Amino acid sequence: MKKLIIIHTGGTISMLENKDTGEVNTTEDHPLSNIPYNFRTNVIIDEHIAFSLPSPHITPNHMLELAKSIDKFLIEYDGIVVTHGTDTLEETAYFLDLVLDTEKPVILTGAMRSSNEIGSDALYNLISSIRVVLSPDAYSKGVLVVMNDEIHSAINVTKTSTSNIATFQSPQYGPIGIITKESIIFHHQLVARTTYPVENISKQVFLLKAYAGMDNKLFEIIHDGHPDGLVIEGLGQGNLPKETIPSIRKLINENIPIVLVSRSFRGTVGPTYAYEGGGRQLKDMGVIFTNGLTGPKARLKLLIALENTTDHMVLRDIFEKEF
Ligand code: ASP
């Protein structure tokens, strides 16, 4: 018989709507305990409340604490479902994907409408996630996100709408599987996955988004904040306004790694353009380019990578060669 555990962390999936005021908030007892569903197999489902936090309150240290408890639960359980607020769900999912070295299924889910709202997706998404954990095909897929009848890889998924229940999408590659009434169907798989177990999260990494007319001011403020690393969501294929270059050079000369992703959510960054501030100049200066990650995910990866190394060449390999 399979043994699963649901770990609750908070978010709308753990909340109820107040019918008088319309406000949505946490409750004393979890609204989704004792699931009324026949999984058509013998399964033991336990529950654990890790946190009761709206997901904007979740920090990388909460993610690390969660990873450590998942590691312990995986000794006894065959799979894990984590319920989480949707605002930062993709960050926790990717953090867990980077640090958990397991072939067992670990799935994150959430809800756009709390349990007692009309058309709630809370119980539905939880049941779907348990069905995916029970599928033998869910092994060796990395950390997954299950929402709205779709299965997404943690690395690719992002919240695209503030309110629609179809909010979670993988814009570059699409979901890796779907959930029907009868089956769980995986239709692609990640080619590779590397994990970087860590004991602590102690570094300071900032994230900046580039914009037309950006100059050195924000870079100087970040410099004065003594960062251990910086992630920039650059323009297009990986370019920046030329006014930012002196500050970027200063940070790199002080051995502060700078990782560049694109603020566009499809396509890749590369040393294509040779004008001042273009990708080629940035790359020649030592900016590390990475693909397939949003700015917040690249930031988590840099936070984790910096716990293991500050060697620029090793960091470059982690971001440019490993997945
Ligand atoms: N603001 C909520 C949260 O992330 C949204 C949700 O759970 O869907 O906690």
Side-chain angles (χ1 to χ4, degrees), residues 239-305:
N239 310 305
L240 290 172
K242 61 182 185 336
E243 289 72 16
T244 64
I245 295 298
S247 302
I248 290 178
R249 188 166 278 127
K250 182 157 106 185
L251 287 163
I252 289 176
N253 287 343
E254 291 179 22
N255 252 333
I256 296 157
I258 301 185
V259 174
L260 189 98
V261 299
S262 179
R263 69 176 197 178
S264 305
F265 55 83
R266 287 204 186 95
T268 56
V269 287
T272 309
Y273 289 97
Y275 53 76
E276 207 186 342
R280 177 157 302 274
Q281 184 189 27
L282 295 172
K283 184 113 194 191
D284 289 346
M285 280 166 59
V287 172
I288 298 169
F289 282 35
T290 198
N291 285 308
L293 294 179
T294 59
K297 287 185 187 172
R299 176 181 173 268
L300 288 174
K301 189 168 180 178
L302 187 53
L303 269 181
I304 289 168

Side-chain angles (χ1 to χ4, degrees), residues 11-12 54-56 85-87 111-112 159:
T12 300
S55 76
T86 59
D87 290 352
M112 297 303 285
K159 182 173 179 175

Side-chain angles (χ1 to χ4, degrees), residues 9-15 24 53-58 84-89 109-114 121 147 159 162 167-168:
T9 67
T12 300
I13 192 162
S14 298
M15 298 182 186
V24 174
L53 293 174
S55 76
H57 294 192
I58 298 271
H84 198 287
T86 59
D87 290 352
T88 61
L89 188 149
T109 193
M112 297 303 285
R113 299 181 189 139
S114 63
D121 52 340
M147 294 277 293
K159 182 173 179 175
T162 58
T167 182
F168 280 92

Side-chain angles (χ1 to χ4, degrees), residues 37-187:
Y37 186 80
N38 176 1
F39 288 99
R40 295 189 220 155
T41 174
N42 282 332
V43 51
I44 294 173
I45 303 177
D46 290 331
E47 266 183 287
H48 170 71
I49 307 234
F51 320 115
S52 287
L53 293 174
S55 76
H57 294 192
I58 298 271
T59 65
N61 276 310
H62 289 112
M63 298 174 195
L64 181 64
E65 194 181 324
L66 187 59
K68 287 181 178 174
S69 62
I70 289 176
D71 256 334
K72 289 200 189 109
F73 283 127
L74 282 172
I75 298 168
E76 187 189 345
Y77 290 92
D78 300 300
I80 312 262
V81 174
V82 178
T83 69
H84 198 287
T86 59
D87 290 352
T88 61
L89 188 149
E90 69 209 57
E91 283 174 76
T92 299
Y94 184 58
F95 184 100
L96 296 177
D97 194 49
L98 285 171
V99 301
L100 289 176
D101 188 6
T102 179
E103 301 306 314
K104 291 183 181 178
V106 175
I107 292 181
L108 275 85
T109 193
M112 297 303 285
R113 299 181 189 139
S114 63
S115 295
N116 63 342
E117 277 178 71
I118 292 170
S120 173
D121 52 340
L123 182 60
Y124 188 84
N125 285 335
L126 183 59
I127 289 171
S128 300
S129 303
I130 295 169
R131 289 180 57 214
V132 176
V133 169
L134 290 172
S135 161
D137 296 338
Y139 278 70
S140 310
K141 297 280 191 304
V143 173
L144 301 173
V145 171
V146 168
M147 294 277 293
N148 193 41
D149 284 337
E150 290 182 344
I151 308 165
H152 295 264
S153 292
I155 189 170
N156 293 325
V157 73
T158 190
K159 182 173 179 175
T160 62
S161 161
T162 58
S163 56
N164 195 302
I165 59 164
T167 182
F168 280 92
Q169 309 278 330
S170 298
Q172 182 96 298
Y173 303 110
I176 64 162
I178 56 164
I179 299 156
T180 71
K181 210 166 164 53
E182 291 304 318
S183 4
I184 306 299
I185 303 164
F186 283 92
H187 47 68

